Amino acid sequence: MSALTRFAQSRLAWLILFASALTLELCALFFQYVMKLDPCVMCIYQRVAVMGILGAGLIGMLGYANRLFRFAGILLWGISASWGLQIALELVEMQTNPSPFSTCSFLPEFPSWMPLHEWLPSVFMPTGMCSDVPWEMFGVTMGQWMVVAFTGYLLALALFILPALSVTKAKRVKQML
């Protein structure tokens, strides 16, 4: 079994995924409540995407030894990172090419069975405008940093998907017996 396969099927790999997503969520809350930067609806959607990655890490941490659990974690990871990247790219487009015809809504459009902005408005209620650029680091906006983050998650997924889902030699021998 290769080192990458052992790592991809370990609890540590999934813990790193979980911890990185938790760090992003805590940063978002720091920006909102300490730096007083109002999140727009696209920022809120990105929070939900990061929470999906956080959930994928949790699934993987709990079921790292089970191929079905790893598959569920990878599926959630891929869906969340892809959707998050799409939202981040849309936000960057709105910020770099502002137009009165291309704006975001004031309220999130969550499914009626999961109105996160009503259940936990302190985390999921947007209060900012998508076209505002309230923060930059090294000349890169928050939206652009999230493009980098979601791209990184997708690259890591591409690297891990086959090793995480592969059947190890020891398991193949057990199945034969």
Side-chain angles (χ1 to χ4, degrees), residues 26-90:
L26 293 173
C27 284
L29 295 173
F30 176 82
F31 283 125
Q32 182 176 355
Y33 289 106
V34 176
M35 295 181 68
K36 304 292 184 200
L37 303 178
D38 294 330
C40 68
V41 71
M42 301 298 263
C43 298
I44 297 299
Y45 291 154
Q46 289 177 73
R47 278 186 194 180
V48 173
V50 172
M51 285 198 171
I53 295 168
L54 189 122
L58 184 62
I59 290 169
M61 278 191 322
L62 296 175
Y64 70 95
N66 183 301
R67 192 170 178 207
L68 184 62
F69 275 85
R70 289 193 311 268
F71 177 77
I74 283 173
L75 186 63
L76 183 56
W77 178 358
I79 291 168
S80 299
S82 298
W83 181 59
L85 178 59
Q86 177 187 350
I87 297 296
L89 289 169
E90 287 177 27

Side-chain angles (χ1 to χ4, degrees), residues 119-172:
W119 294 346
L120 195 58
S122 60
V123 176
F124 297 109
M125 182 62 79
T127 53
M129 297 297 299
C130 292
S131 57
D132 292 344
V133 180
W135 180 87
E136 288 184 17
M137 184 171 74
F138 308 121
V140 180
T141 67
M142 194 179 306
Q144 292 166 331
W145 281 115
M146 290 308 296
V147 168
V148 170
F150 286 121
T151 300
Y153 279 124
L154 287 172
L155 289 173
L157 177 64
L159 182 67
F160 271 65
I161 193 164
L162 291 178
L165 294 177
S166 69
V167 177
T168 63
K169 195 179 216 180
K171 288 182 184 174
R172 270 190 230 123

Side-chain angles (χ1 to χ4, degrees), residues 81-100:
S82 298
W83 181 59
L85 178 59
Q86 177 187 350
I87 297 296
L89 289 169
E90 287 177 27
L91 177 59
V92 168
E93 177 63 25
M94 282 185 212
Q95 291 176 337
T96 55
N97 299 311
S99 166

